[in-house]
Amino acid sequence: MATAAATSASEPEAESKAGPKADGEEDEVKAARTRRKVLSRAVAAATYKTVGPGWDQQEEGVSESDGDEYAMASSAESSPGEYEWEYDEEEEKNQLEIERLEEQLSINVYDYNCHVDLIRLLRLEGELTKVRMARQKMSEIFPLTEELWLEWLHDEISMAQDGLDREHVYDLFEKAVKDYICPNIWLEYGQYSVGGIGQKGGLEKVRSVFERALSSVGLHMTKGLALWEAYREFESAIVEAARLEKVHSLFRRQLAIPLYDMEATFAEYEEWSEDPVPESVIQNYNKALQQLEKYKPYEEALLQAEAPRLSEYQAYIDFEMKIGDPARIQLIFERALVENCLVPDLWIRYSQYLDRQLKVKDLVLSVHNRAVRNCPWTVALWSRYLLAMERHGVDHQVISDSSKELEELRAAFTRALEYLKQEVEERFNESGDPSCVIMQNWARIEARLCNNMQKARELWDSIMTRGNAKYANMWLEYYNLERAHGDTQHCRKALHRAVQCTSDYPEHVCEVLLTMERTEGSLEDWDTAVQKTETRLARVNEQRMKAAEKEAALVQQEEEKAEQRKRARAEKKALKKKKKTRGPEKRGADEDDEKEWGDDEEEQPSKRRRVENSIPAAGETQNVEVAAGPAGKCATVDVEPPSKQKEKAASLKRDMPKVLHDSSKDSITVFVSNLPYSMQEPDVKLRPLFEACGEVVQIRPIFSNRGDFRGYCYVEFKEEKSALQALEMDRKSVEGRPMFVSPCVDKSKNPDFKVFRYSTSLEKHKLFISGLPFSCTKEELEEICKAHGTVKDLRLVTNRAGKPKGLAYVEYENESQASQAVMKMDGMTIKENVIKVAISNPPQRKVPEKPETRKAPGGPMLLPQTYGARGKGRTQLSLLPRALQRPSAAAPQAENGPAAAPAVAASAATEAPKMSNADFAKLFLRK
């Protein structure tokens, strides 16, 4: 400040040395510019001297080169012609840039970067009045960061000379601490207030500032320590016996809070205090140390991560919310918002917590105000702010300065629609408000509060022309508005238009129209409504049938393509297998055939292949068979002797316990299936599960011939009620798979018995949801569905392995709730997936024809074709040797049809003599 004053005092002298008036007015203008430049450099140097070495010159806009320029400017004061051209050139550039920035801000006052650049240039040019005005204007529009506030405060502190200037600085500090939680600003505030301790009420002012600072950021684990120490140093500097108790109190309060370097603070307290530390203080200190260990992982995660560290802050917030300390929750939210002030979701979560938990008027409104200042583009923040002001009884004059409320509201709606049209639709080619929520609210206000149904109808006409006329819920919304504030004639007109235009749920609109005409219309109106609804529904059903046929044709095409691909893969696999087996050397036909078919006791090839896949026992003799591959190379294949393979299979079959089922106990037995094949000791693992239903007599798991568990078993109870209770365990997860529990019923005696327990017919109170993300849980979906009615049951559809299929069934309490949920949820986006919602009406399954005897046209009854134990084969090749095949004689033709074959011939044909393997071999060798 001394330098600035000296420079100001020397201005006349510098002016006298600038040159005589005879040099002209141009020289005087240049000299004035030089003097202003000298003044700006002097102010910068004075600021540096006042604030001290801790002031970062680069950050404050004064670099090392500025000092050199100041020296040059000082020398130019005595001889302005030497470096005058440098200042002129730089100043002209800065002035042009300042004018450009001011013009740009006059066009768009919300350009944040322009504000920052303008303040920097004005400060560099020494335009103190202009830079103060620029900062004031920016602070009214935007919240300032900690760096901008500190720069402003340092400049004002350096220029403060009397008590009025100090009060102005105090006001700036009060504004600064309201934007964000900044420990450094609070520390500067406390230290600056110490300088005014000599004034009236100075001591109380200092203590008030420090107490507010501690309540705001005293819990800050990494930066709160500096405030505590500064407050203690101030109290210790006051040499009064009464102040010692104040220092004791500060030490005790600090040691009860979990902060970094608590151990050093405790050691300092032990050294400073003449008396031993009280036991209560030690207990609080140890408790705070334990709390510090819980908080350390989150603080260390913040220290290691890079800004803005949103995920780390969110995890920290979740942890604090579980603990439930309001002061610490508020602090962590404020710390997160310093680095994430442009994240609307974080502001919404913070304001929602304050609205629901603390409900302190000043605090709630302050946070809402800061939220809309940081994110003015977020509609949800503005709506929450308005609700909060209404909730806390804020006067309308605070919300709006004009008394013409209706005109204001209509103008606001108009501006909102224009903004959406210009900024969203024209820029991004999509609607910013597809459901026209803003216009709906406007129409509702016009109808309800202004009694202006004509304006409301005009708005709804505009809504329908924007592509919403095909949705039933939009028409019903309009109908309800007319029903509440309009007349019957307009209600009827709206519903008639809805019947013609609706394409998603026309049945619902038709039902509403018929209900209205039944209660309020005349017979003529009723007949007209019935005729229109029937015509419309007939056309809709026809369109749906065509769409279903088209979809079925597409599905059939896809199935045919899949079948073709499957056949192609099978043919390719068979061809590859055929190429591999084409190379073995040919042996003598007689020797081969005699060895393979001549021995009756030797097992058949199919059985041999089954045993070949099994693991041979150690020490068994193995034959080595040499085969030539496609390239002519020999390969060795280990094969067990057939006799030993047969013995091994027989021993495995003998060792396997036989499961005998008693059909008389079906009423107390349940059938359990879809169990994991890898389950070890199924009876041991399943017994505790079913014993919860009652006493278990026996669990009979089913094994294969090799001893592998086949995934199902029978559970026999002592009482029938236990078996009935066990059926409720159906679909229970066992080792990651849904376990199927069904009654034990002999299907050969009860062929029509169905295990599927869910209805396959139309259920108007149940919804079918498809397109769900696989990660969607039952709880998440239930939370969404609860918003539209009472959910009685919800079932996520899974496959046999327990994996979700993206489908679900939701059962509501009644049909109206289900209909409302369909209209609201259909097309909703859940985790980036668009879901489809419809009333549950599964398609009818095709019932296979029963194998009955068929009658050939004009012929006798034909017996159904019989297959082997494995059913119908894939290739349908006949394995009967041609030598045994007998061509069926042509039936003699009678006048009215073929004559009946003699019964004796039929019986003779069916009773063919049994042949051994050797007989088959001899038939093959016959030439």
Side-chain angles (χ1 to χ4, degrees):
M1 294 302 298
T3 308
T7 308
S8 301
S10 63
E11 282 182 7
E13 183 179 356
E15 186 175 359
S16 63
K17 292 181 180 180
K21 293 183 179 180
D23 294 340
E25 295 181 358
E26 184 176 355
D27 294 337
E28 292 181 2
V29 172
K30 292 182 178 180
R33 290 180 181 175
T34 304
R35 288 196 301 272
R36 190 169 61 201
K37 195 70 178 179
V38 170
L39 177 61
S40 66
R41 303 306 175 195
V43 170
T47 303
Y48 176 78
K49 289 181 180 180
T50 304
V51 177
W55 178 44
D56 189 357
Q57 289 183 349
Q58 298 293 334
E59 180 179 337
E60 298 297 325
V62 181
S63 61
E64 293 178 359
S65 61
D66 293 337
D68 298 335
E69 292 177 1
Y70 171 65
M72 289 190 296
S74 300
S75 62
E77 186 179 359
S78 58
S79 56
E82 187 175 356
Y83 298 104
E84 183 178 336
W85 63 273
E86 295 182 4
Y87 293 124
D88 289 343
E89 183 178 0
E90 181 184 359
E91 185 178 5
E92 287 178 2
K93 289 182 179 179
N94 291 341
Q95 287 296 330
L96 290 175
E97 183 66 15
I98 288 172
E99 291 176 2
R100 186 189 69 81
L101 293 174
E102 288 177 345
E103 183 180 358
Q104 189 168 349
L105 286 176
S106 65
I107 299 173
N108 182 14
V109 74
Y110 294 101
D111 193 332
Y112 185 88
N113 293 327
C114 278
H115 282 285
V116 175
D117 294 340
L118 179 62
I119 291 171
R120 178 181 58 80
L121 287 175
L122 290 174
R123 189 170 184 272
L124 191 63
E125 289 296 313
E127 302 283 354
L128 302 180
T129 304
K130 288 186 177 181
V131 75
R132 181 179 291 173
M133 292 175 60
R135 284 167 170 165
Q136 184 68 28
K137 186 179 295 184
M138 183 180 180
S139 66
E140 291 174 357
I141 301 173
F142 299 105
L144 304 186
T145 62
E146 182 179 5
E147 293 77 12
L148 291 175
W149 273 117
L150 288 175
E151 181 183 83
W152 189 359
L153 290 167
H154 288 159
D155 290 349
E156 294 292 343
I157 289 172
S158 64
M159 292 184 292
Q161 296 179 355
D162 52 13
L164 294 177
D165 292 339
R166 179 171 288 275
E167 290 298 327
H168 173 65
V169 175
Y170 281 155
D171 293 340
L172 280 183
F173 270 115
E174 290 296 331
K175 292 180 180 179
V177 296
K178 290 179 180 178
D179 278 350
Y180 301 107
I181 181 171
C182 300
N184 293 332
I185 294 180
W186 277 111
L187 190 60
E188 288 283 343
Y189 194 6
Q191 292 174 351
Y192 181 72
S193 63
V194 172
I197 194 173
Q199 296 181 352
K200 183 179 179 180
L203 181 60
E204 289 74 12
K205 176 69 175 179
V206 174
R207 285 185 176 142
S208 172
V209 170
F210 273 115
E211 287 294 338
R212 289 171 56 202
L214 292 181
S215 64
S216 178
V217 293
L219 298 177
H220 200 301
M221 298 188 66
T222 55
K223 297 183 179 180
L225 180 63
L227 282 168
W228 287 99
E229 290 180 348
Y231 195 6
R232 287 204 318 271
E233 289 176 2
F234 166 73
E235 292 291 348
S236 300
I238 302 175
V239 186
E240 293 181 14
R243 306 304 172 200
L244 295 179
E245 184 59 32
K246 186 72 174 179
V247 178
H248 275 290
S249 174
L250 288 174
F251 267 118
R252 293 167 185 173
R253 288 167 58 189
Q254 181 181 353
L255 291 174
I257 299 173
L259 299 172
Y260 272 38
D261 296 332
M262 289 187 64
E263 297 83 355
T265 305
F266 185 76
E268 182 183 353
Y269 184 36
E270 286 184 323
E271 183 179 355
W272 181 84
S273 178
E274 298 177 357
D275 300 328
V277 179
E279 185 65 26
S280 60
V281 177
I282 296 176
Q283 291 178 359
N284 292 334
Y285 167 70
N286 292 330
K287 185 178 179 181
L289 281 177
Q290 295 176 0
Q291 294 178 351
L292 180 63
E293 293 300 320
K294 296 180 181 178
Y295 289 112
K296 267 187 177 180
Y298 299 96
E299 292 289 346
E300 291 174 357
L302 290 175
L303 293 174
Q304 295 173 3
E306 297 181 358
R309 304 178 286 192
L310 180 59
S311 59
E312 288 78 12
Y313 275 119
Q314 286 177 338
Y316 205 163
I317 290 171
D318 294 337
F319 174 73
E320 291 286 10
M321 295 283 275
K322 290 179 181 178
I323 296 177
D325 186 354
R328 297 199 65 88
I329 293 173
Q330 184 182 353
L331 176 65
I332 192 59
F333 268 117
E334 293 287 354
R335 288 177 61 185
L337 288 169
V338 171
E339 298 181 13
N340 301 275
C341 59
L342 301 181
V343 181
D345 291 340
L346 194 59
W347 284 107
I348 289 174
R349 188 177 181 187
Y350 186 23
S351 60
Q352 183 176 344
Y353 169 76
L354 295 177
D355 286 334
R356 296 180 179 179
Q357 301 297 329
L358 296 186
K359 301 179 181 179
V360 180
K361 177 181 178 180
D362 295 336
L363 178 60
V364 169
L365 295 180
S366 172
V367 170
H368 279 291
N369 182 35
R370 290 164 53 205
V372 296
R373 290 187 69 198
N374 281 273
C375 305
W377 60 86
T378 307
V379 178
L381 290 175
W382 285 103
S383 62
R384 287 175 176 272
Y385 189 18
L386 293 172
L387 289 174
M389 287 192 287
E390 183 178 359
R391 191 178 295 115
H392 292 285
V394 177
D395 187 15
H396 177 74
Q397 296 299 326
V398 178
I399 303 174
S400 174
D401 295 332
S402 175
S403 60
K404 299 179 180 179
E405 302 176 10
L406 185 57
E407 287 74 8
E408 286 178 5
L409 187 60
R410 286 173 175 166
F413 277 122
T414 305
R415 288 197 305 271
L417 295 176
E418 290 177 355
Y419 176 82
L420 288 176
K421 182 178 180 181
Q422 296 175 1
E423 301 296 330
V424 180
E425 295 179 10
E426 295 180 1
R427 285 191 180 185
F428 304 103
N429 295 324
E430 61 181 30
S431 177
D433 188 11
S435 299
C436 299
V437 176
I438 295 177
M439 297 182 71
Q440 288 188 45
N441 289 330
W442 188 0
R444 200 174 294 117
I445 291 172
E446 292 285 356
R448 180 181 175 184
L449 301 179
C450 305
N451 296 322
N452 190 353
M453 278 303 299
Q454 183 62 31
K455 180 65 176 178
R457 293 183 185 114
E458 292 176 1
L459 290 170
W460 268 104
D461 286 339
S462 178
I463 291 172
M464 293 305 180
T465 56
R466 297 193 178 194
N468 294 302
K470 59 185 177 180
Y471 300 118
N473 63 327
M474 301 296 288
W475 283 108
L476 294 179
E477 188 73 25
Y478 177 34
Y479 166 74
N480 291 331
L481 185 69
E482 286 284 1
R483 189 79 171 168
H485 306 287
D487 51 39
T488 306
Q489 187 63 29
H490 283 90
C491 289
R492 181 177 291 109
K493 184 178 178 182
L495 289 178
H496 278 285
R497 290 175 60 192
V499 168
Q500 297 298 325
C501 300
T502 303
S503 59
D504 55 352
Y505 297 103
E507 296 90 350
H508 201 128
V509 176
C510 292
E511 184 180 353
V512 173
L513 175 59
L514 293 176
T515 302
M516 190 195 77
E517 298 295 3
R518 184 182 295 112
T519 56
E520 300 183 15
S522 62
L523 181 59
E524 183 181 354
D525 295 332
W526 168 260
D527 293 337
T528 304
V530 169
Q531 183 180 358
K532 283 194 174 183
T533 55
E534 288 179 351
T535 305
R536 176 59 178 166
L537 292 179
R539 191 183 310 124
V540 168
N541 290 331
E542 183 180 352
Q543 293 174 354
R544 288 176 178 175
M545 288 179 63
K546 290 181 179 179
E549 290 174 358
K550 186 176 180 181
E551 186 175 356
L554 292 175
V555 171
Q556 186 176 0
Q557 290 179 4
E558 292 295 329
E559 290 178 353
E560 290 176 356
K561 290 180 181 179
E563 188 65 26
Q564 290 176 2
R565 289 193 295 267
K566 188 176 180 181
R567 282 200 299 268
R569 286 195 298 267
E571 291 174 0
K572 188 176 179 181
K573 188 175 180 181
L575 183 61
K576 190 175 180 181
K577 188 174 181 181
K578 187 176 180 181
K579 287 181 180 180
K580 287 184 178 179
T581 58
R582 189 178 294 172
E585 297 179 359
K586 294 184 179 180
R587 301 182 182 179
D590 295 342
E591 181 183 355
D592 257 356
D593 292 335
E594 285 294 334
K595 186 171 184 181
E596 189 168 355
W597 296 98
D599 191 0
D600 291 343
E601 297 178 357
E602 205 167 23
E603 95 184 298
Q604 295 181 6
S606 61
K607 295 183 179 179
R608 182 187 302 113
R609 283 195 298 272
R610 186 183 302 169
V611 180
E612 282 174 2
N613 294 331
S614 61
I615 300 174
E620 288 186 351
T621 306
Q622 298 187 3
N623 295 337
V624 179
E625 189 175 27
V626 181
K633 297 181 180 180
C634 296
T636 60
V637 181
D638 296 339
V639 182
E640 287 186 350
S643 59
K644 293 200 172 182
Q645 294 175 359
K646 186 175 181 180
E647 291 176 2
K648 184 178 178 182
S651 63
L652 285 173
K653 198 168 184 179
R654 282 196 306 270
D655 295 341
M656 199 62 57
K658 294 183 178 180
V659 178
L660 299 177
H661 179 67
D662 187 0
S663 58
S664 64
K665 297 182 179 180
D666 285 350
S667 60
I668 58 174
T669 307
V670 294
F671 177 68
V672 183
S673 59
N674 200 43
L675 296 170
Y677 294 150
S678 59
M679 180 181 285
Q680 302 293 331
E681 299 181 351
D683 53 342
V684 177
K685 291 188 177 181
L686 294 176
R687 183 173 290 274
L689 212 63
F690 285 99
E691 282 182 345
C693 302
E695 184 178 349
V696 177
V697 177
Q698 185 184 17
I699 296 179
R700 300 191 297 274
I702 308 302
F703 296 91
S704 64
N705 290 336
R706 297 189 183 191
D708 299 328
F709 180 49
R710 300 186 65 179
Y712 60 91
C713 65
Y714 295 89
V715 181
E716 180 183 339
F717 291 92
K718 189 174 182 180
E719 298 178 353
E720 185 175 353
K721 65 177 183 179
S722 302
L724 295 175
Q725 187 177 352
L727 295 176
E728 298 178 1
M729 299 178 65
D730 186 33
R731 311 284 170 166
K732 183 178 180 63
S733 179
V734 176
E735 295 188 4
R737 292 174 64 93
M739 175 181 65
F740 298 162
V741 183
S742 57
C744 185
V745 178
D746 188 356
K747 289 189 178 180
S748 61
K749 299 179 180 179
N750 301 280
D752 296 332
F753 176 76
K754 293 183 179 179
V755 180
F756 193 71
R757 63 174 182 170
Y758 301 108
S759 174
T760 57
S761 60
L762 174 64
E763 295 179 280
K764 294 186 178 181
H765 66 287
K766 185 181 291 187
L767 304 185
F768 172 68
I769 304 177
S770 60
L772 290 169
F774 293 153
S775 59
C776 181
T777 62
K778 181 178 180 181
E779 291 75 15
E780 292 174 347
L781 183 58
E782 186 174 3
E783 191 67 25
I784 296 173
C785 297
K786 277 183 178 178
H788 311 294
T790 305
V791 178
K792 293 180 63 179
D793 186 29
L794 189 147
R795 175 169 61 93
L796 291 177
V797 182
T798 61
N799 58 15
R800 297 181 69 89
K803 304 295 182 180
K805 299 174 70 174
L807 308 175
Y809 287 92
V810 182
E811 183 179 353
Y812 279 95
E813 197 170 30
N814 51 49
E815 298 178 11
S816 61
Q817 293 181 358
S819 301
Q820 190 72 11
V822 169
M823 291 189 290
K824 297 292 185 182
M825 294 176 59
D826 189 30
M828 179 186 290
T829 302
I830 299 178
K831 296 183 179 180
E832 300 182 357
N833 284 34
V834 179
I835 65 171
K836 293 183 179 180
V837 184
I839 299 296
S840 176
N841 188 15
Q844 297 295 328
R845 295 190 176 185
K846 294 182 179 180
V847 181
E849 295 181 359
K850 295 184 179 180
E852 298 175 352
T853 56
R854 299 187 299 270
K855 183 175 182 179
M861 299 295 291
L862 301 178
L863 294 175
Q865 186 176 357
T866 58
Y867 306 105
R870 293 179 179 269
K872 185 177 180 180
R874 290 186 180 178
T875 59
Q876 299 299 311
L877 297 178
S878 175
L879 300 180
L880 186 66
R882 282 191 295 271
L884 297 180
Q885 292 180 357
R886 298 180 181 179
S888 58
Q893 191 74 17
E895 291 182 2
N896 296 327
V904 178
S907 62
T910 55
E911 295 178 1
K914 295 182 179 180
M915 302 180 69
S916 64
N917 290 341
D919 295 334
F920 275 107
K922 291 175 183 179
L923 288 172
F924 276 120
L925 295 175
R926 185 180 301 168
K927 296 181 181 179

